[in-house]
Amino acid sequence: MAVTQKDIGAILETYPAKVKRNRKNHIIIKDAAQEQQAIEANTRTIPGIITNRGCAYAGCKGVVLGPLKDMVHITHGPIGCGYYSWLTRRNKARTDESGQNFLSYCVSTDMQESDIVFGGEKKLARIIDEVVEIFHPRGITVSATCPVGLIGDDIDAVAKAAEQKHGIPVLAFHCEGYKGVSQSAGHHIANNGLMERVVGQGELEEAPAKYSINILGEYNIGGDSWEVHRILDQIGYHVIAVMTGDGSFETLKNAHVADLNLVQCHRSINYIADMLEKKYGTPWLKVNFIGIQSTIDSLRNMALYFGDEELTRKTEEVIAREVARVQPIMEQYKKICQGKTAFCFVGGSRGHHYQGLFAELGIETVLAGYEFAHRDDYEGRRVIPDIKPDMDSKNIPELHVEPDTKFFRLKISPEKAAELKEKIPLSDYPGLILDMKDGHVIVDDLNHFETEAFVKLLKPDIFASGIKDKYIPQKMGIPSKQLHSYDYSGPYAGFNGAVKFAEDVTMGFVSPTWNFITPPWKGKPVLEGAVQKGGD
Ligand code: CFM
């Protein structure tokens, strides 16, 4: 069923006039006849609306820094922020030979009322001493939460003194929750810090092997990056660093020598991808390892970048072998999934990335969107020059980077880059809107009221989202699949991940649970109308 402006108007009608004016710009119906459809994004959620967004601290410590396993991540603030970001994101890590893996710990300064009144700097310094004494980590991060910014603790000074005292890097991040309109601000803050303090600190001057790459914006949720590694290893790539899933300070410091940076989640990491290009001359390629065809396309684009016959042959060999293995299994699941519809509403890139995988199972995404993406994630990177910075985005400093005097190497010539840009998404991503079908809906920062309204309107067969909105559709009798944490499952990336996803989604559909739930619209007449008096 195609949605009309009238349908959307009816949903918006419930809002007060001011809210209605605001939300109207965050909802569009795909219309391919229009060359560019604009959507409002990355602006403040209206107070009182139940959003699914997180905060700047979540984006900085929780998303980007948190997965670095050989650093101890200290949350400077009251205990709740640290506690609720303690492994809930399921970014997995294996302990390597060094034995440095601190991800299972939750370290916080546990600020109390007296610390808020008299300041928390001394306590922070004491906790850093304790962390060094107990864990001897390669490095430490300190992430500030809201009250720290409000009372003005000088975390930079504490970190600097601790560095001198202990001789290890102690990185301070001003990622107080209120720093931006969502976790997106925290991504940017973390990108800046890693760029300034970690990348380029290693001693390597040249790539250690042929086809050396970094994978940016891959966080190993449910083991995703291990599956990507498995495929890339077979082809013969050498992965220097993953930013940051199962990643480490130790590997990240040599990220500057890679021949190519792959970008999986562009929303959280495009800042660093750009800075790496300017500072070290390494181009970035947009990839998507979610879905079989997207994985194949990404692998082929990588082969095109390197332009090596042997690598291309190996790429095709691995693709053929993997597809022959997984396709028949996918076909079985497709028999159950075919013809169904989905809502795909995730944080900042998965709302787009999963649509191809759904389509491979015969499931059409009829509504999609992001919690906190920016306009370029919807409309494509070309729109960036048109985005006007507002007071909230000006909160985050833009780093000015120059070519590095020691490590800058132009990895490919400008002519070659221009030629490749015609064929592959080098330094580019086209945005979510492009892939949606006509009549389908795109919603930015979907809230709980709109979730209910759109579910009632479109009655999707599956709802892909996160923990905050998962149970609304489930109580309406619609299976829900968490695409943030994968509901204790995964990996969903690559070839094996596609099969796992197909299995989980199919299980959602065939579960007998749904027979015990009556959706609100059952028992109501399908057609609604009024009896006209008079006439003939
Ligand atoms: Fe990138 Fe992510 Fe996402 Fe994200 Fe996130 Fe996440 Fe996400 Mo949850 S980094 S933008 S801030 S792909 S934690 S691994 S699933 S909202 S769509």
Side-chain angles (χ1 to χ4, degrees), residues 74 121-132 137 139-142 154-172 197:
I74 300 176
E121 292 171 11
K122 286 201 185 90
K123 196 170 188 187
L124 176 60
R126 207 168 65 237
I127 301 289
I128 296 174
D129 291 347
E130 250 180 66
V131 161
V132 174
I140 290 173
T141 70
V142 175
D154 189 348
I155 58 169
D156 294 314
V158 177
K160 204 166 167 203
E163 275 193 351
Q164 280 159 2
K165 183 171 176 187
H166 299 295
I168 57 165
V170 181
L171 282 51
R197 298 293 316 277

Side-chain angles (χ1 to χ4, degrees), residues 59 63 89 183 187 217 219 221 265-268 346-351 353 371-372 483-485:
V63 173
R89 184 156 164 265
Q183 52 267 64
H187 300 150
Y219 300 96
I221 310 299
C265 169
H266 44 282
R267 179 64 270 137
S268 61
V346 206
S349 63
R350 293 182 173 182
H353 283 159
E371 286 173 21
F372 52 77
L483 285 188
H484 299 248
S485 71

Side-chain angles (χ1 to χ4, degrees), residues 101-113:
N101 181 356
F102 309 111
L103 291 202
S104 52
Y105 294 97
C106 170
V107 183
S108 168
T109 49
D110 183 21
M111 284 174 92
Q112 303 293 316
E113 201 176 335

